Amino acid sequence: MEKIEQIFTFINKKTEELEKTESSTYLESVLTTLKGILDGKYELPFEAATKEEMRKAIQLSILKGMRESSQPNHQMTPDSLGLLITYFVEQFFEETLKDGTISILDPALGTGNLMFTIMNKLDGKVFATGVEVDELLIQLAGEIAELIEQPIQLYHQDALRPLLVDPVDVVVCDLPVGFYPNDDIAKNYELSSKEGMSYAHHLYIEQALNYTKDGGYLIFLIPATLFESEQAEMLHKFLKKYAWIQAVMQLPENIFKSKLHEKSILILQKKSDTLRPPIEVLLAKVPNLSNKQALLYFFEKVKIWKEQNTRK
Ligand code: SAM
């Protein structure tokens, strides 16, 4: 058995036992199991695992638990998209990452799969902060962080309220999509709807810009229809005022369950007086992620775009 499978089998067995004895949900029992491993109550019956083996094994158990609860807005960001986002972070911060660190904020952390995928890849080079409103999910993120030894600052709160976070180099966010229920908070945003409820995903973009350094980057997974809604014009105007659009990339359809769930990647750079806007926006279609040849070609295209866009 592979290490990942061994760890998953161990966690799954303990979790199923706890589910019965504690009459808790599978996901709650995963949390108890992870705590038990950290406290030394449950000892993993094999040699040490790598951070990636651990992350992937826990991810499998969380996926199992999420299938049970199936809240579409809680879905974790798949590894393939996490790795693609990491690639862009590496491109934008190539120089800094050679011997320095970068700060990253995910204001919709979930259980942290997106953030931990990035952190494991850029091991030791990320100062990470995560915000999540759901108590169980953020607790799971906390336990996972300890188990994979990736330090992260966690805030359990509504990310659309003021945050105690210093502006970061990069915001990454798989945006929660839908209407935001708190009109009192929404009205503090330029992107609040003048009639009816505001879109949480629009407010999220504004809030993310509030916590990004001038010249910093924002990498969002957005609904593929973001620029087609009746509030899109307002969003366009807002973006023009505060950000430079660096890239809009359509993701392969086969990653998503249905057309309704399709997402794209939007990359922004917060405007800065000391920098100049990109010469060209990267508009691309990401190929099927299992097609190695097409992916290599895509990365080559990104590299050329980046070189042409780097102003001397
Ligand atoms: N990237 C995450 C991962 O890999 O696990 C998944 C993010 S999921 C698509 C969106 C997350 O945003 C959910 O976990 C949801 O609970 C959280 N969320 C939604 N509205 C929020 C809010 N106002 N403040 C903080 N978190 C929120």
Side-chain angles (χ1 to χ4, degrees), residues 66 72-78 106-115 131-134 137 157-161 173-177 180 200 204 263:
M66 283 191 166
N73 252 342
H74 283 182
Q75 294 303 320
M76 70 166 70
T77 311
D106 183 345
L109 186 77
T111 53
N113 200 51
L114 170 59
M115 182 65 105
V131 185
E132 171 56 52
V133 75
D134 186 290
L137 300 188
Q157 68 160 91
D158 176 349
L160 296 175
R161 290 174 183 263
C173 189
D174 187 348
L175 292 177
V177 180
Y180 180 60
Y204 247 94
K263 293 184 186 190

PDB file of all heavy atoms in Angstrom, residues 66 72-78 106-115 131-134 137 157-161 173-177 180 200 204 263, ligand 1:
ATOM      1  N   MET A  66     -16.967  15.571   3.100  1.00  0.00           N
ATOM      2  CA  MET A  66     -17.689  16.632   2.397  1.00  0.00           C
ATOM      3  C   MET A  66     -18.757  16.064   1.471  1.00  0.00           C
ATOM      4  O   MET A  66     -19.771  16.706   1.232  1.00  0.00           O
ATOM      5  CB  MET A  66     -16.716  17.508   1.621  1.00  0.00           C
ATOM      6  CG  MET A  66     -15.999  18.464   2.545  1.00  0.00           C
ATOM      7  SD  MET A  66     -15.105  19.694   1.675  1.00  0.00           S
ATOM      8  CE  MET A  66     -14.775  20.856   2.987  1.00  0.00           C
ATOM      9  N   PRO A  72     -22.101  23.033  -1.641  1.00  0.00           N
ATOM     10  CA  PRO A  72     -21.260  23.375  -2.799  1.00  0.00           C
ATOM     11  C   PRO A  72     -20.258  24.479  -2.512  1.00  0.00           C
ATOM     12  O   PRO A  72     -19.147  24.471  -3.030  1.00  0.00           O
ATOM     13  CB  PRO A  72     -22.268  23.799  -3.874  1.00  0.00           C
ATOM     14  CG  PRO A  72     -23.589  23.921  -3.205  1.00  0.00           C
ATOM     15  CD  PRO A  72     -23.522  23.184  -1.907  1.00  0.00           C
ATOM     16  N   ASN A  73     -20.595  25.430  -1.627  1.00  0.00           N
ATOM     17  CA  ASN A  73     -19.677  26.534  -1.342  1.00  0.00           C
ATOM     18  C   ASN A  73     -18.546  26.145  -0.403  1.00  0.00           C
ATOM     19  O   ASN A  73     -17.668  26.933  -0.114  1.00  0.00           O
ATOM     20  CB  ASN A  73     -20.442  27.728  -0.774  1.00  0.00           C
ATOM     21  CG  ASN A  73     -20.524  28.843  -1.807  1.00  0.00           C
ATOM     22  OD1 ASN A  73     -19.762  28.863  -2.758  1.00  0.00           O
ATOM     23  ND2 ASN A  73     -21.446  29.759  -1.607  1.00  0.00           N
ATOM     24  N   HIS A  74     -18.598  24.920   0.113  1.00  0.00           N
ATOM     25  CA  HIS A  74     -17.542  24.449   1.020  1.00  0.00           C
ATOM     26  C   HIS A  74     -16.521  23.580   0.297  1.00  0.00           C
ATOM     27  O   HIS A  74     -15.569  23.127   0.902  1.00  0.00           O
ATOM     28  CB  HIS A  74     -18.143  23.628   2.161  1.00  0.00           C
ATOM     29  CG  HIS A  74     -18.783  24.480   3.213  1.00  0.00           C
ATOM     30  ND1 HIS A  74     -19.353  23.955   4.333  1.00  0.00           N
ATOM     31  CD2 HIS A  74     -18.927  25.800   3.304  1.00  0.00           C
ATOM     32  CE1 HIS A  74     -19.841  24.935   5.082  1.00  0.00           C
ATOM     33  NE2 HIS A  74     -19.595  26.066   4.470  1.00  0.00           N
ATOM     34  N   GLN A  75     -16.757  23.320  -0.967  1.00  0.00           N
ATOM     35  CA  GLN A  75     -15.883  22.385  -1.687  1.00  0.00           C
ATOM     36  C   GLN A  75     -14.426  22.835  -1.631  1.00  0.00           C
ATOM     37  O   GLN A  75     -14.130  24.013  -1.834  1.00  0.00           O
ATOM     38  CB  GLN A  75     -16.310  22.274  -3.157  1.00  0.00           C
ATOM     39  CG  GLN A  75     -17.674  21.654  -3.363  1.00  0.00           C
ATOM     40  CD  GLN A  75     -17.809  20.264  -2.767  1.00  0.00           C
ATOM     41  OE1 GLN A  75     -16.873  19.463  -2.850  1.00  0.00           O
ATOM     42  NE2 GLN A  75     -18.923  19.992  -2.119  1.00  0.00           N
ATOM     43  N   MET A  76     -13.543  21.889  -1.367  1.00  0.00           N
ATOM     44  CA  MET A  76     -12.134  22.285  -1.315  1.00  0.00           C
ATOM     45  C   MET A  76     -11.583  22.466  -2.726  1.00  0.00           C
ATOM     46  O   MET A  76     -12.106  21.905  -3.689  1.00  0.00           O
ATOM     47  CB  MET A  76     -11.322  21.276  -0.521  1.00  0.00           C
ATOM     48  CG  MET A  76     -11.141  19.952  -1.169  1.00  0.00           C
ATOM     49  SD  MET A  76      -9.862  19.013  -0.342  1.00  0.00           S
ATOM     50  CE  MET A  76     -10.599  18.624   1.221  1.00  0.00           C
ATOM     51  N   THR A  77     -10.552  23.275  -2.829  1.00  0.00           N
ATOM     52  CA  THR A  77      -9.956  23.545  -4.136  1.00  0.00           C
ATOM     53  C   THR A  77      -9.088  22.360  -4.537  1.00  0.00           C
ATOM     54  O   THR A  77      -8.186  21.974  -3.779  1.00  0.00           O
ATOM     55  CB  THR A  77      -9.088  24.823  -4.050  1.00  0.00           C
ATOM     56  OG1 THR A  77      -9.869  25.835  -3.426  1.00  0.00           O
ATOM     57  CG2 THR A  77      -8.635  25.273  -5.414  1.00  0.00           C
ATOM     58  N   PRO A  78      -9.358  21.755  -5.707  1.00  0.00           N
ATOM     59  CA  PRO A  78      -8.573  20.574  -6.082  1.00  0.00           C
ATOM     60  C   PRO A  78      -7.089  20.881  -6.268  1.00  0.00           C
ATOM     61  O   PRO A  78      -6.711  22.001  -6.615  1.00  0.00           O
ATOM     62  CB  PRO A  78      -9.191  20.127  -7.421  1.00  0.00           C
ATOM     63  CG  PRO A  78     -10.231  21.107  -7.780  1.00  0.00           C
ATOM     64  CD  PRO A  78     -10.355  22.130  -6.691  1.00  0.00           C
ATOM     65  N   ASP A 106      -5.369  33.839   2.304  1.00  0.00           N
ATOM     66  CA  ASP A 106      -6.558  33.229   1.691  1.00  0.00           C
ATOM     67  C   ASP A 106      -7.738  33.581   2.598  1.00  0.00           C
ATOM     68  O   ASP A 106      -7.871  33.031   3.701  1.00  0.00           O
ATOM     69  CB  ASP A 106      -6.402  31.711   1.568  1.00  0.00           C
ATOM     70  CG  ASP A 106      -7.620  31.094   0.867  1.00  0.00           C
ATOM     71  OD1 ASP A 106      -8.652  31.783   0.750  1.00  0.00           O
ATOM     72  OD2 ASP A 106      -7.535  29.928   0.437  1.00  0.00           O
ATOM     73  N   PRO A 107      -8.613  34.506   2.149  1.00  0.00           N
ATOM     74  CA  PRO A 107      -9.724  34.923   3.011  1.00  0.00           C
ATOM     75  C   PRO A 107     -10.931  33.991   2.967  1.00  0.00           C
ATOM     76  O   PRO A 107     -11.948  34.281   3.599  1.00  0.00           O
ATOM     77  CB  PRO A 107     -10.075  36.316   2.451  1.00  0.00           C
ATOM     78  CG  PRO A 107      -9.604  36.296   1.038  1.00  0.00           C
ATOM     79  CD  PRO A 107      -8.522  35.279   0.916  1.00  0.00           C
ATOM     80  N   ALA A 108     -10.833  32.901   2.217  1.00  0.00           N
ATOM     81  CA  ALA A 108     -11.906  31.881   2.223  1.00  0.00           C
ATOM     82  C   ALA A 108     -11.211  30.535   2.328  1.00  0.00           C
ATOM     83  O   ALA A 108     -11.254  29.708   1.422  1.00  0.00           O
ATOM     84  CB  ALA A 108     -12.736  31.973   0.939  1.00  0.00           C
ATOM     85  N   LEU A 109     -10.562  30.332   3.457  1.00  0.00           N
ATOM     86  CA  LEU A 109      -9.579  29.253   3.616  1.00  0.00           C
ATOM     87  C   LEU A 109     -10.151  27.854   3.512  1.00  0.00           C
ATOM     88  O   LEU A 109      -9.472  26.929   3.064  1.00  0.00           O
ATOM     89  CB  LEU A 109      -8.873  29.413   4.976  1.00  0.00           C
ATOM     90  CG  LEU A 109      -7.722  28.461   5.217  1.00  0.00           C
ATOM     91  CD1 LEU A 109      -6.486  28.911   4.442  1.00  0.00           C
ATOM     92  CD2 LEU A 109      -7.380  28.375   6.702  1.00  0.00           C
ATOM     93  N   GLY A 110     -11.416  27.668   3.932  1.00  0.00           N
ATOM     94  CA  GLY A 110     -11.964  26.307   3.995  1.00  0.00           C
ATOM     95  C   GLY A 110     -11.095  25.473   4.925  1.00  0.00           C
ATOM     96  O   GLY A 110     -10.676  25.932   5.999  1.00  0.00           O
ATOM     97  N   THR A 111     -10.755  24.244   4.487  1.00  0.00           N
ATOM     98  CA  THR A 111      -9.845  23.432   5.304  1.00  0.00           C
ATOM     99  C   THR A 111      -8.395  23.661   4.879  1.00  0.00           C
ATOM    100  O   THR A 111      -7.502  22.954   5.315  1.00  0.00           O
ATOM    101  CB  THR A 111     -10.178  21.930   5.168  1.00  0.00           C
ATOM    102  OG1 THR A 111     -10.205  21.604   3.777  1.00  0.00           O
ATOM    103  CG2 THR A 111     -11.517  21.597   5.795  1.00  0.00           C
ATOM    104  N   GLY A 112      -8.195  24.630   3.969  1.00  0.00           N
ATOM    105  CA  GLY A 112      -6.837  25.063   3.643  1.00  0.00           C
ATOM    106  C   GLY A 112      -6.149  24.312   2.520  1.00  0.00           C
ATOM    107  O   GLY A 112      -4.951  24.489   2.321  1.00  0.00           O
ATOM    108  N   ASN A 113      -6.905  23.507   1.768  1.00  0.00           N
ATOM    109  CA  ASN A 113      -6.194  22.703   0.762  1.00  0.00           C
ATOM    110  C   ASN A 113      -5.429  23.566  -0.243  1.00  0.00           C
ATOM    111  O   ASN A 113      -4.291  23.263  -0.577  1.00  0.00           O
ATOM    112  CB  ASN A 113      -7.153  21.755   0.037  1.00  0.00           C
ATOM    113  CG  ASN A 113      -6.398  20.624  -0.625  1.00  0.00           C
ATOM    114  OD1 ASN A 113      -5.579  19.964   0.012  1.00  0.00           O
ATOM    115  ND2 ASN A 113      -6.604  20.430  -1.914  1.00  0.00           N
ATOM    116  N   LEU A 114      -6.062  24.639  -0.702  1.00  0.00           N
ATOM    117  CA  LEU A 114      -5.377  25.520  -1.659  1.00  0.00           C
ATOM    118  C   LEU A 114      -4.104  26.102  -1.018  1.00  0.00           C
ATOM    119  O   LEU A 114      -3.011  26.022  -1.592  1.00  0.00           O
ATOM    120  CB  LEU A 114      -6.337  26.647  -2.094  1.00  0.00           C
ATOM    121  CG  LEU A 114      -5.729  27.784  -2.901  1.00  0.00           C
ATOM    122  CD1 LEU A 114      -5.103  27.273  -4.192  1.00  0.00           C
ATOM    123  CD2 LEU A 114      -6.797  28.836  -3.229  1.00  0.00           C
ATOM    124  N   MET A 115      -4.251  26.657   0.168  1.00  0.00           N
ATOM    125  CA  MET A 115      -3.098  27.289   0.834  1.00  0.00           C
ATOM    126  C   MET A 115      -1.998  26.255   1.113  1.00  0.00           C
ATOM    127  O   MET A 115      -0.814  26.516   0.881  1.00  0.00           O
ATOM    128  CB  MET A 115      -3.569  27.948   2.131  1.00  0.00           C
ATOM    129  CG  MET A 115      -2.478  28.673   2.861  1.00  0.00           C
ATOM    130  SD  MET A 115      -1.838  30.088   1.959  1.00  0.00           S
ATOM    131  CE  MET A 115      -2.583  31.416   2.861  1.00  0.00           C
ATOM    132  N   VAL A 131      -8.494  33.082   6.591  1.00  0.00           N
ATOM    133  CA  VAL A 131      -9.718  33.502   7.275  1.00  0.00           C
ATOM    134  C   VAL A 131     -10.837  32.567   6.825  1.00  0.00           C
ATOM    135  O   VAL A 131     -10.955  32.269   5.633  1.00  0.00           O
ATOM    136  CB  VAL A 131     -10.098  34.961   6.904  1.00  0.00           C
ATOM    137  CG1 VAL A 131     -11.303  35.423   7.707  1.00  0.00           C
ATOM    138  CG2 VAL A 131      -8.921  35.898   7.109  1.00  0.00           C
ATOM    139  N   GLU A 132     -11.625  32.105   7.782  1.00  0.00           N
ATOM    140  CA  GLU A 132     -12.724  31.189   7.442  1.00  0.00           C
ATOM    141  C   GLU A 132     -13.833  31.361   8.477  1.00  0.00           C
ATOM    142  O   GLU A 132     -13.568  31.432   9.677  1.00  0.00           O
ATOM    143  CB  GLU A 132     -12.182  29.741   7.438  1.00  0.00           C
ATOM    144  CG  GLU A 132     -13.223  28.651   7.324  1.00  0.00           C
ATOM    145  CD  GLU A 132     -14.133  28.758   6.098  1.00  0.00           C
ATOM    146  OE1 GLU A 132     -13.657  28.870   4.968  1.00  0.00           O
ATOM    147  OE2 GLU A 132     -15.366  28.736   6.297  1.00  0.00           O
ATOM    148  N   VAL A 133     -15.069  31.424   7.972  1.00  0.00           N
ATOM    149  CA  VAL A 133     -16.196  31.677   8.860  1.00  0.00           C
ATOM    150  C   VAL A 133     -16.723  30.392   9.520  1.00  0.00           C
ATOM    151  O   VAL A 133     -17.296  30.427  10.604  1.00  0.00           O
ATOM    152  CB  VAL A 133     -17.322  32.420   8.078  1.00  0.00           C
ATOM    153  CG1 VAL A 133     -18.074  31.487   7.150  1.00  0.00           C
ATOM    154  CG2 VAL A 133     -18.243  33.170   8.993  1.00  0.00           C
ATOM    155  N   ASP A 134     -16.504  29.265   8.863  1.00  0.00           N
ATOM    156  CA  ASP A 134     -17.051  28.009   9.375  1.00  0.00           C
ATOM    157  C   ASP A 134     -16.115  27.410  10.428  1.00  0.00           C
ATOM    158  O   ASP A 134     -14.937  27.163  10.160  1.00  0.00           O
ATOM    159  CB  ASP A 134     -17.224  27.032   8.200  1.00  0.00           C
ATOM    160  CG  ASP A 134     -17.909  25.750   8.604  1.00  0.00           C
ATOM    161  OD1 ASP A 134     -17.281  24.939   9.338  1.00  0.00           O
ATOM    162  OD2 ASP A 134     -19.064  25.554   8.204  1.00  0.00           O
ATOM    163  N   LEU A 137     -14.502  23.876   9.701  1.00  0.00           N
ATOM    164  CA  LEU A 137     -13.490  23.908   8.633  1.00  0.00           C
ATOM    165  C   LEU A 137     -12.193  24.553   9.114  1.00  0.00           C
ATOM    166  O   LEU A 137     -11.100  24.049   8.845  1.00  0.00           O
ATOM    167  CB  LEU A 137     -14.025  24.641   7.394  1.00  0.00           C
ATOM    168  CG  LEU A 137     -15.274  24.059   6.729  1.00  0.00           C
ATOM    169  CD1 LEU A 137     -15.576  24.775   5.418  1.00  0.00           C
ATOM    170  CD2 LEU A 137     -15.141  22.564   6.465  1.00  0.00           C
ATOM    171  N   GLN A 157     -13.605  34.133  11.368  1.00  0.00           N
ATOM    172  CA  GLN A 157     -14.539  35.262  11.300  1.00  0.00           C
ATOM    173  C   GLN A 157     -15.089  35.414   9.886  1.00  0.00           C
ATOM    174  O   GLN A 157     -14.625  34.760   8.948  1.00  0.00           O
ATOM    175  CB  GLN A 157     -13.825  36.554  11.719  1.00  0.00           C
ATOM    176  CG  GLN A 157     -12.755  37.023  10.732  1.00  0.00           C
ATOM    177  CD  GLN A 157     -12.424  38.510  10.892  1.00  0.00           C
ATOM    178  OE1 GLN A 157     -11.527  38.838  11.638  1.00  0.00           O
ATOM    179  NE2 GLN A 157     -13.129  39.405  10.170  1.00  0.00           N
ATOM    180  N   ASP A 158     -16.068  36.288   9.756  1.00  0.00           N
ATOM    181  CA  ASP A 158     -16.583  36.669   8.445  1.00  0.00           C
ATOM    182  C   ASP A 158     -15.511  37.543   7.791  1.00  0.00           C
ATOM    183  O   ASP A 158     -15.174  38.613   8.319  1.00  0.00           O
ATOM    184  CB  ASP A 158     -17.890  37.454   8.669  1.00  0.00           C
ATOM    185  CG  ASP A 158     -18.471  37.986   7.381  1.00  0.00           C
ATOM    186  OD1 ASP A 158     -17.795  37.941   6.344  1.00  0.00           O
ATOM    187  OD2 ASP A 158     -19.627  38.452   7.430  1.00  0.00           O
ATOM    188  N   ALA A 159     -14.997  37.099   6.668  1.00  0.00           N
ATOM    189  CA  ALA A 159     -13.872  37.813   6.040  1.00  0.00           C
ATOM    190  C   ALA A 159     -14.292  39.149   5.440  1.00  0.00           C
ATOM    191  O   ALA A 159     -13.436  39.937   5.047  1.00  0.00           O
ATOM    192  CB  ALA A 159     -13.242  36.941   4.956  1.00  0.00           C
ATOM    193  N   LEU A 160     -15.580  39.406   5.362  1.00  0.00           N
ATOM    194  CA  LEU A 160     -16.023  40.681   4.793  1.00  0.00           C
ATOM    195  C   LEU A 160     -16.137  41.766   5.870  1.00  0.00           C
ATOM    196  O   LEU A 160     -16.401  42.921   5.560  1.00  0.00           O
ATOM    197  CB  LEU A 160     -17.325  40.498   4.023  1.00  0.00           C
ATOM    198  CG  LEU A 160     -17.153  39.573   2.810  1.00  0.00           C
ATOM    199  CD1 LEU A 160     -18.478  39.304   2.114  1.00  0.00           C
ATOM    200  CD2 LEU A 160     -16.153  40.151   1.807  1.00  0.00           C
ATOM    201  N   ARG A 161     -15.946  41.382   7.114  1.00  0.00           N
ATOM    202  CA  ARG A 161     -15.814  42.376   8.188  1.00  0.00           C
ATOM    203  C   ARG A 161     -14.341  42.781   8.254  1.00  0.00           C
ATOM    204  O   ARG A 161     -13.487  42.065   7.718  1.00  0.00           O
ATOM    205  CB  ARG A 161     -16.252  41.761   9.531  1.00  0.00           C
ATOM    206  CG  ARG A 161     -17.751  41.524   9.595  1.00  0.00           C
ATOM    207  CD  ARG A 161     -18.101  40.777  10.875  1.00  0.00           C
ATOM    208  NE  ARG A 161     -19.517  40.471  10.915  1.00  0.00           N
ATOM    209  CZ  ARG A 161     -20.434  41.204  11.554  1.00  0.00           C
ATOM    210  NH1 ARG A 161     -20.068  42.260  12.243  1.00  0.00           N
ATOM    211  NH2 ARG A 161     -21.700  40.866  11.518  1.00  0.00           N
ATOM    212  N   CYS A 173      -7.652  33.071  -3.628  1.00  0.00           N
ATOM    213  CA  CYS A 173      -8.991  32.816  -3.095  1.00  0.00           C
ATOM    214  C   CYS A 173      -9.879  32.107  -4.110  1.00  0.00           C
ATOM    215  O   CYS A 173     -10.047  32.567  -5.233  1.00  0.00           O
ATOM    216  CB  CYS A 173      -9.634  34.154  -2.693  1.00  0.00           C
ATOM    217  SG  CYS A 173     -11.158  33.944  -1.795  1.00  0.00           S
ATOM    218  N   ASP A 174     -10.404  30.974  -3.674  1.00  0.00           N
ATOM    219  CA  ASP A 174     -11.438  30.263  -4.424  1.00  0.00           C
ATOM    220  C   ASP A 174     -12.741  30.886  -3.925  1.00  0.00           C
ATOM    221  O   ASP A 174     -13.245  30.533  -2.849  1.00  0.00           O
ATOM    222  CB  ASP A 174     -11.326  28.771  -4.064  1.00  0.00           C
ATOM    223  CG  ASP A 174     -12.228  27.894  -4.894  1.00  0.00           C
ATOM    224  OD1 ASP A 174     -13.102  28.438  -5.590  1.00  0.00           O
ATOM    225  OD2 ASP A 174     -12.059  26.660  -4.825  1.00  0.00           O
ATOM    226  N   LEU A 175     -13.229  31.879  -4.651  1.00  0.00           N
ATOM    227  CA  LEU A 175     -14.292  32.746  -4.125  1.00  0.00           C
ATOM    228  C   LEU A 175     -15.569  32.005  -3.765  1.00  0.00           C
ATOM    229  O   LEU A 175     -16.073  31.205  -4.565  1.00  0.00           O
ATOM    230  CB  LEU A 175     -14.647  33.796  -5.181  1.00  0.00           C
ATOM    231  CG  LEU A 175     -13.604  34.854  -5.495  1.00  0.00           C
ATOM    232  CD1 LEU A 175     -14.108  35.746  -6.623  1.00  0.00           C
ATOM    233  CD2 LEU A 175     -13.273  35.690  -4.281  1.00  0.00           C
ATOM    234  N   PRO A 176     -16.121  32.310  -2.576  1.00  0.00           N
ATOM    235  CA  PRO A 176     -17.469  31.811  -2.289  1.00  0.00           C
ATOM    236  C   PRO A 176     -18.445  32.577  -3.184  1.00  0.00           C
ATOM    237  O   PRO A 176     -18.337  33.791  -3.305  1.00  0.00           O
ATOM    238  CB  PRO A 176     -17.696  32.158  -0.816  1.00  0.00           C
ATOM    239  CG  PRO A 176     -16.550  32.966  -0.370  1.00  0.00           C
ATOM    240  CD  PRO A 176     -15.549  33.096  -1.482  1.00  0.00           C
ATOM    241  N   VAL A 177     -19.341  31.879  -3.813  1.00  0.00           N
ATOM    242  CA  VAL A 177     -20.212  32.504  -4.812  1.00  0.00           C
ATOM    243  C   VAL A 177     -21.642  32.583  -4.291  1.00  0.00           C
ATOM    244  O   VAL A 177     -22.132  31.637  -3.684  1.00  0.00           O
ATOM    245  CB  VAL A 177     -20.180  31.663  -6.111  1.00  0.00           C
ATOM    246  CG1 VAL A 177     -21.087  32.284  -7.177  1.00  0.00           C
ATOM    247  CG2 VAL A 177     -18.757  31.572  -6.631  1.00  0.00           C
ATOM    248  N   TYR A 180     -24.537  37.830  -0.456  1.00  0.00           N
ATOM    249  CA  TYR A 180     -24.026  38.023   0.904  1.00  0.00           C
ATOM    250  C   TYR A 180     -25.195  38.464   1.784  1.00  0.00           C
ATOM    251  O   TYR A 180     -25.870  39.457   1.466  1.00  0.00           O
ATOM    252  CB  TYR A 180     -22.917  39.086   0.873  1.00  0.00           C
ATOM    253  CG  TYR A 180     -22.318  39.382   2.221  1.00  0.00           C
ATOM    254  CD1 TYR A 180     -21.698  38.381   2.962  1.00  0.00           C
ATOM    255  CD2 TYR A 180     -22.360  40.676   2.748  1.00  0.00           C
ATOM    256  CE1 TYR A 180     -21.144  38.663   4.202  1.00  0.00           C
ATOM    257  CE2 TYR A 180     -21.794  40.952   3.985  1.00  0.00           C
ATOM    258  CZ  TYR A 180     -21.195  39.938   4.713  1.00  0.00           C
ATOM    259  OH  TYR A 180     -20.645  40.211   5.936  1.00  0.00           O
ATOM    260  N   ALA A 200     -21.557  38.222  -2.804  1.00  0.00           N
ATOM    261  CA  ALA A 200     -20.410  37.988  -1.906  1.00  0.00           C
ATOM    262  C   ALA A 200     -19.111  37.965  -2.710  1.00  0.00           C
ATOM    263  O   ALA A 200     -18.093  38.521  -2.286  1.00  0.00           O
ATOM    264  CB  ALA A 200     -20.587  36.663  -1.175  1.00  0.00           C
ATOM    265  N   TYR A 204     -15.910  40.239  -1.984  1.00  0.00           N
ATOM    266  CA  TYR A 204     -14.654  39.541  -1.678  1.00  0.00           C
ATOM    267  C   TYR A 204     -13.483  40.122  -2.465  1.00  0.00           C
ATOM    268  O   TYR A 204     -12.375  40.283  -1.957  1.00  0.00           O
ATOM    269  CB  TYR A 204     -14.790  38.045  -1.997  1.00  0.00           C
ATOM    270  CG  TYR A 204     -14.748  37.175  -0.759  1.00  0.00           C
ATOM    271  CD1 TYR A 204     -15.904  36.781  -0.116  1.00  0.00           C
ATOM    272  CD2 TYR A 204     -13.532  36.760  -0.240  1.00  0.00           C
ATOM    273  CE1 TYR A 204     -15.864  36.000   1.022  1.00  0.00           C
ATOM    274  CE2 TYR A 204     -13.472  35.976   0.891  1.00  0.00           C
ATOM    275  CZ  TYR A 204     -14.638  35.599   1.525  1.00  0.00           C
ATOM    276  OH  TYR A 204     -14.578  34.828   2.648  1.00  0.00           O
ATOM    277  N   LYS A 263     -15.489  27.373 -13.439  1.00  0.00           N
ATOM    278  CA  LYS A 263     -14.744  28.517 -12.891  1.00  0.00           C
ATOM    279  C   LYS A 263     -13.639  28.932 -13.847  1.00  0.00           C
ATOM    280  O   LYS A 263     -13.214  28.137 -14.701  1.00  0.00           O
ATOM    281  CB  LYS A 263     -14.105  28.139 -11.550  1.00  0.00           C
ATOM    282  CG  LYS A 263     -15.133  27.894 -10.477  1.00  0.00           C
ATOM    283  CD  LYS A 263     -14.490  27.624  -9.138  1.00  0.00           C
ATOM    284  CE  LYS A 263     -15.571  27.242  -8.136  1.00  0.00           C
ATOM    285  NZ  LYS A 263     -15.094  27.177  -6.790  1.00  0.00           N
TER     286      LYS A 263
HETATM  287  N1  SAM B   1      -9.809  27.097  -0.974  1.00  0.00           N
HETATM  288  C1  SAM B   1     -10.552  26.322  -0.001  1.00  0.00           C
HETATM  289  C2  SAM B   1      -9.918  24.944   0.163  1.00  0.00           C
HETATM  290  O1  SAM B   1      -9.020  24.576  -0.601  1.00  0.00           O
HETATM  291  O2  SAM B   1     -10.390  24.218   1.061  1.00  0.00           O
HETATM  292  C3  SAM B   1     -11.999  26.189  -0.382  1.00  0.00           C
HETATM  293  C4  SAM B   1     -12.742  27.462  -0.397  1.00  0.00           C
HETATM  294  S1  SAM B   1     -14.467  27.248  -0.539  1.00  0.00           S
HETATM  295  C5  SAM B   1     -14.725  27.316  -2.251  1.00  0.00           C
HETATM  296  C6  SAM B   1     -15.063  28.783   0.051  1.00  0.00           C
HETATM  297  C7  SAM B   1     -14.963  28.946   1.544  1.00  0.00           C
HETATM  298  O3  SAM B   1     -15.359  30.279   1.904  1.00  0.00           O
HETATM  299  C8  SAM B   1     -15.883  28.036   2.344  1.00  0.00           C
HETATM  300  O4  SAM B   1     -15.102  27.283   3.223  1.00  0.00           O
HETATM  301  C9  SAM B   1     -16.812  28.970   3.117  1.00  0.00           C
HETATM  302  O5  SAM B   1     -17.137  28.519   4.414  1.00  0.00           O
HETATM  303  C10 SAM B   1     -15.970  30.231   3.169  1.00  0.00           C
HETATM  304  N2  SAM B   1     -16.742  31.486   3.326  1.00  0.00           N
HETATM  305  C11 SAM B   1     -17.874  31.838   2.691  1.00  0.00           C
HETATM  306  N3  SAM B   1     -18.260  33.068   3.051  1.00  0.00           N
HETATM  307  C12 SAM B   1     -17.336  33.509   3.946  1.00  0.00           C
HETATM  308  C13 SAM B   1     -17.171  34.719   4.676  1.00  0.00           C
HETATM  309  N4  SAM B   1     -18.030  35.721   4.546  1.00  0.00           N
HETATM  310  N5  SAM B   1     -16.101  34.826   5.506  1.00  0.00           N
HETATM  311  C14 SAM B   1     -15.203  33.811   5.633  1.00  0.00           C
HETATM  312  N6  SAM B   1     -15.322  32.644   4.973  1.00  0.00           N
HETATM  313  C15 SAM B   1     -16.365  32.493   4.126  1.00  0.00           C
END
